[in-house]
Amino acid sequence: TLVGLMGIYSSSKTENVRATAASTLSRLLRNSPGLVGGVLDRWGQRLLLTGLADSSSKVQVAAVNMLNQALSQPEVAPKLAGLLAQEQGLLPAAMGLLDHSLPLLRAKAVVSIVLLCRLSPQWLLECCQQKLVLHMERLTRDKDTCTQDAVVLLRQEMSGAVKHICSGIAEQLAIMQNSQIRCSSDGSGSSGACLEQLQVVLHLVTSPFFRPAVVDGQLVQMLAEFLLAVPAEGPGGGAGSVAEFSNTLLHVLEALSQPEHVTRFPDAFLQHLMPALCSVISTNSSHSDTRFFCLRMMSDVLAIYLTDPDRYSAVLAQQLLQPQQAAPRRNSSSNGRLFEVTAVLDALLRQHVVPLVPVLLEQEEPMPLYALKASLPSAEQPAALHVLPCEVYAALYEQPQPQNVSGLQLPLHPFGCQAVCCGFVDQHRYWREHCVLFPARHSSFNPPFYAMICCVLSCLLCSCWVVFWK
């Protein structure tokens, strides 16, 4: 029967006869699943490839039904995967059905992609490279109910697919660290294919449709672990799969550093990603572009938290130094979450961010500029000045040629708080020498810089002149 049906299907030039033969084959395989493997072995390429590309929509429906049936059988799917690898036109033919005018075919094509994603993340990567995301965003406006249900199913499937991909990458990075594999690898082995799958995550997190389904705190935490685990680049700047993986990872992190994600997952960002960024910034073995990228991202994320009154309270941060006053706040249900985020952010500033600033101020531009950008939001909170050591302020005056006036605005902030100002000046009287001698040391500065120094001196005289001149 199978041989006869395949003969009719292959030789008939009449569309209705060919469609009837294809439909009969599809129904026969549905009722006898055990025959699917043998049919694929003997006629798989001719049956599926020609059927998906046929001019008759009835033949295409029968072909996509047989494809989905094969993908849904665990014992047959590996054979079909081999067929897909051999025949490069099979996947584009299935993807092409997403643009078909028949709603039923569009829905069945989406189901085929769901089954392919379950088969292997590599096929999901292939689909993404063929503009799967754009297809799905367009299909979200489809009025057909079946198509909408299939698209929703695919979006739900992406959450598990991303976790599976990240788990595989974590295992591969651990193997690379243990075996001391470095950038000299050519990326042609299994490690390169595994690391390459991070591109799937990049496609999904940059899509407004898929992003809500795949982005969560666990993903941010795993990406932070990747940032710490990626092998250091070699003398040649890195090559092959590791360099590509590092570049893709940075773009994924950039996509996640938007306010909507930063404010939604503060624990993951503050406890995992931000310390990882600080670690990369402080590591001299990291590439300069990577360090700058991480510093810029860190300053942007800090600005989001420190300027958001729902995420950070400078008053609560000051009370952290006085446990007897902080305890009532901690037990308040209305301010409990705000207190927790403020405490974590305060610890992050103390332990990771502030120690980097004096070192970064001595490096080449634009590192000092973004180090100042990371410092200014915390300095603008009067009660948060306790996290900024005086060495940070003094380091500003050691710069031979500051590039902007904003860098000199930072020393003004301590004088907005009387208690902080008195202790600050009392412990560091060398400020008098720095402020007075600064114009003489840097005679090439333009008037805005001189005006800023005069402003600092004025603040000193007005706020705590007794301590300053005694």
Side-chain angles (χ1 to χ4, degrees), residues 230-235 237 279-288 290-291:
V230 64
E233 296 181 1
S279 177
V280 174
I281 295 169
S282 63
T283 304
N284 293 329
S285 60
S286 300
H287 195 274
S288 59
T290 301
R291 294 179 65 245

Side-chain angles (χ1 to χ4, degrees), residues 183 195 230-231 233 237-249:
C183 295
L195 298 181
V230 64
E233 296 181 1
S241 60
V242 174
E244 294 176 2
F245 172 79
S246 179
N247 185 55
T248 303
L249 176 60

Side-chain angles (χ1 to χ4, degrees), residues 51-132:
L52 293 174
D54 198 276
S55 59
S56 171
S57 59
K58 295 181 180 179
V59 175
Q60 290 177 310
V61 169
V64 76
N65 283 339
M66 289 184 278
L67 174 64
N68 291 343
Q69 186 175 356
L71 289 171
S72 61
Q73 296 184 20
E75 65 279 3
V76 179
K79 295 181 179 180
L80 184 57
L83 179 63
L84 288 169
Q86 294 175 4
E87 181 50 60
Q88 299 296 326
L90 192 55
L91 183 61
M95 291 286 296
L97 296 180
L98 296 173
D99 294 324
H100 202 279
S101 59
L102 186 65
L104 179 62
L105 269 174
R106 295 198 297 268
K108 288 182 178 292
V110 175
V111 174
S112 299
I113 295 173
V114 172
L115 296 174
L116 281 172
C117 297
R118 293 176 181 176
L119 181 62
S120 172
Q122 186 62 32
W123 298 117
L124 177 56
L125 175 60
E126 295 285 345
C127 292
C128 289
Q129 292 174 345
Q130 298 188 29
K131 302 181 179 180
L132 171 65

Side-chain angles (χ1 to χ4, degrees), residues 112-179:
S112 299
I113 295 173
V114 172
L115 296 174
L116 281 172
C117 297
R118 293 176 181 176
L119 181 62
S120 172
Q122 186 62 32
W123 298 117
L124 177 56
L125 175 60
E126 295 285 345
C127 292
C128 289
Q129 292 174 345
Q130 298 188 29
K131 302 181 179 180
L132 171 65
V133 173
L134 294 178
H135 282 296
M136 292 301 106
E137 291 177 349
R138 180 180 54 79
L139 289 178
T140 56
R141 300 186 293 271
D142 199 305
K143 297 181 180 180
D144 181 65
T145 304
C146 293
T147 304
Q148 287 292 326
D149 292 342
V151 170
V152 171
L153 175 63
L154 178 62
R155 183 169 62 174
Q156 295 173 351
E157 194 74 20
M158 291 302 99
S159 177
V162 167
K163 290 181 173 59
H164 179 66
I165 289 173
C166 290
S167 298
I169 293 174
E171 295 177 0
Q172 186 60 47
L173 289 175
I175 294 174
M176 294 175 68
Q177 285 185 324
N178 294 335
S179 59

